[in-house]
Amino acid sequence: MTQEFDEQLTVDLYVRAAAHIVERRDEVIGKLKRLEQRDRLTEFRIHPWPRAISLDLVKEIEGEEIHEVVRSFERWADQHGRHIQPPFNVRTADSSITGESDELLFLPVMCVAAYNEGKLIEVAPCRDGESIRTVDDALDAIAAGDIRISDPRPEGETSGPDSEQRESIEDTDQQKSSIATQLSNPTEDNE
């Protein structure tokens, strides 16, 4: 479904501070500035974020911003038949020095989230089982004044054209629970 935007469209850009993406980051920020100047956005905000976050550490930090953001992305993806894994992936990191391990949530180099009147309407990158929605795809849709938005699936509905692929991804990632589950249990161990 395509939706015409109103005056309340905002975009959050989440980006790593990494030398190898400076040119790309500046290109995306330039696009966002042009969209704002053309009144396609009310505003945009830039949020630096790390390569990965420790799920064990997040359990100790109440209301940690990245934790909340990723949970909202996961909920949005589940409600709209989309997937954010990859590029959001949970992996175990082992230390060869100490022998200890830690569950890490690896974040994409760059991610955009669009909000219409404060409601999350788009996350990129993501995929719908058939195609990948890139940061550029999302910004191009905003520039055109429309964006493809899936209606939320009825609660509890898990079947659909991409349900087999979702199961396959979850199995191959060796994840027994989703990112949202791991992030939403801040006081329990997710073994």
Side-chain angles (χ1 to χ4, degrees):
M1 167 159 105
T2 300
Q3 176 175 322
E4 198 64 33
F5 294 124
D6 64 18
E7 298 82 37
Q8 298 302 312
L9 183 68
T10 60
V11 173
D12 287 341
L13 170 64
Y14 297 89
V15 63
R16 285 191 210 158
H20 71 281
I21 65 153
V22 169
E23 187 175 324
R24 174 76 176 121
R25 179 193 66 210
D26 291 347
E27 177 185 310
V28 169
I29 291 170
K31 277 186 178 184
L32 288 166
K33 286 179 180 178
R34 288 188 297 279
L35 290 169
E36 189 176 45
Q37 290 167 352
R38 291 178 42 214
D39 293 327
R40 291 293 185 187
L41 319 169
T42 303
E43 71 174 321
F44 71 92
R45 298 173 294 255
I46 301 169
H47 307 273
W49 69 357
R51 180 173 181 261
I53 58 173
S54 165
L55 294 176
D56 290 335
L57 182 58
V58 165
K59 293 174 196 175
E60 303 298 325
I61 305 170
E62 283 292 321
E64 201 277 325
E65 182 183 356
I66 295 172
H67 164 251
E68 296 301 323
V69 166
V70 174
R71 285 183 63 205
S72 72
F73 292 174
E74 181 82 1
R75 282 190 303 269
W76 173 85
D78 286 344
Q79 292 170 353
H80 292 86
R82 305 273 184 92
H83 308 280
I84 63 169
Q85 298 175 13
F88 294 85
N89 288 309
V90 176
R91 289 182 264 172
T92 301
D94 298 310
S95 170
S96 59
I97 297 170
T98 66
E100 296 177 325
S101 63
D102 195 6
E103 291 290 313
L104 300 177
L105 170 61
F106 286 86
L107 304 168
V109 171
M110 192 175 304
C111 177
V112 293
Y115 299 84
N116 192 22
E117 295 183 343
K119 180 181 177 192
L120 183 60
I121 60 169
E122 180 71 74
V123 175
C126 71
R127 59 185 179 75
D128 65 7
E130 298 171 14
S131 61
I132 296 172
R133 180 90 159 163
T134 67
V135 168
D136 284 330
D137 292 336
L139 296 181
D140 289 347
I142 292 168
D146 59 32
I147 199 165
R148 69 178 183 175
I149 301 173
S150 305
D151 289 327
R153 292 185 303 183
E155 196 167 318
E157 182 180 309
T158 57
S159 63
D162 59 344
S163 62
E164 288 180 25
Q165 188 168 359
R166 176 184 292 253
E167 291 169 11
S168 165
I169 296 269
E170 288 170 358
D171 290 343
T172 58
D173 285 344
Q174 300 175 10
Q175 296 177 14
K176 299 202 192 277
S177 59
S178 70
I179 294 169
T181 301
Q182 293 181 25
L183 291 174
S184 66
N185 295 321
T187 58
E188 298 177 12
D189 286 335
N190 293 306
E191 298 182 89

